[in-house]
Amino acid sequence: MSAFPELDDKVRELKQFDETKVGVRGLVDSGAAKIPRIFICPPESRPEARRTTRNAGSNSPLPQVPTIDLEGSEIPSRRAEIVDEIRQALQTWGFFQMVNHGIPTGVLDNLLRSTREFHEQPKEMRMEFYTRDSTRKVKYYSTGDLYQTKTAQWRDTLSCDFDDTSKIDLESFPKICRKEIGDYLNRLNGLKNLLAELLSEALGLSSNHLASLECFDIQRLLCHYYPPCPEPELTIGIMKHSDPYILTILLQDNIGGLQILHKNQWVDVTPVQGSLLVNAGDLLQLITNDHFKSVEHRVVATRAGPRISAACFIYPRNKNQSKPYGPVKELLSDKNPQIYRETSFLDYIHYFGSKGLDGVKALPHFQLISANE
Ligand code: OGA
Ligand code: NI
């Protein structure tokens, strides 16, 4: 029998949890040995295949997300190799792990540590940031899509919006992590510009092409906290989804739990200290006309932890969010006809947000011949 004979009961319990304003961390603090039923995922969304499964009888090594060493990207011969590796990675995996990316490990560790400190400080300090008001630049909440997906997930998030990273008002961020967020963003800006060039080159476009589209801005940082979970088989840290944006740069600690759907198998992303993960979002798949893939991923809940991660999203800034974006003309040919119609960032995100993370991709809705209408 369903855990919820009445949907109204479920919405009421989701609301009760939301109104505590202390997140999953608050539940864990109160010593719960069982997870409340609002966190129980439908069986099809549970991480039953927790590890990568080998084909029976196969000794082939487990597939691993590609790691790309960015050292020497200013030397033309090395740069050509890096660009090739990025092209392959984004065509097949939609993801790659970067090492020697230029951001000191200390800056990364400080962001992870201060994120943990934010989520573990006395509840009164975090409650003042708890909100779902989308007009607020700084928000703390548990399960971003709580009322769309109607299943609570085992994570809490501090979300910071920037618009113009050269004019960040650090004072508006929680005191406990504002310096660390500022330091990280300062460093990330240079790396983001390098990635815009390398990805343009990987598409065979001029180096400044993606930057010139005005879609490659650092806009949002989600500082996630996945508390240790007493019943990890029944719930999920973040449900299967693809990121709706242009690009995501993800920092994760050494706990593990992130999985990528690769060739129909869930593949664990092994944490590598000091590395950063990059993945293509739906809008990058749209403007590259499927050259680069926005791949689904999820985070399983674990008894270990807490697990900390910080996802930085790149997409057009406010003044460009109503502008239409479509497949880049230079990438289209008789062999590669246009797949998607033009859409603005706001229209895309509105459609994506109305669905919640329900396992159904948003992108096909934007095909010229819509696949799911
Ligand atoms: C996300 C996401 C993964 C992680 O925020 O979209 O997929 O490891 N996060 O926290
Ligand atoms: Ni994601």
Side-chain angles (χ1 to χ4, degrees), residues 39 56 85 121 129 147 173 223 234 247 284 309 330 344 358:
F39 287 89
E85 289 172 33
Q121 66 189 330
F129 291 98
Y147 295 108
F173 299 159
C223 299
L234 296 180
L247 204 73
L284 188 60
S309 68
E330 287 79 350
S344 70
D358 61 356

Side-chain angles (χ1 to χ4, degrees), residues 307-318:
R307 173 180 185 269
I308 318 292
S309 68
C312 181
F313 298 123
I314 291 169
Y315 52 90
R317 64 180 49 167
N318 286 338

Side-chain angles (χ1 to χ4, degrees), residues 95 155 157 222-226 237-239 241-245 248 250-253 256-259 277 279 295-299 307-313 352 357:
F95 272 79
R155 75 176 187 286
T157 303
L222 300 185
C223 299
H224 295 303
Y225 183 91
Y226 299 85
I238 187 165
M239 269 191 195
H241 68 284
S242 59
D243 295 345
Y245 310 106
T248 304
L250 183 88
L251 167 66
Q252 60 164 338
D253 69 7
L258 176 63
Q259 299 183 330
L277 207 63
N279 66 284
V295 168
E296 289 172 307
H297 50 283
R298 68 182 183 186
V299 176
R307 173 180 185 269
I308 318 292
S309 68
C312 181
F313 298 123
F352 184 95
L357 305 186

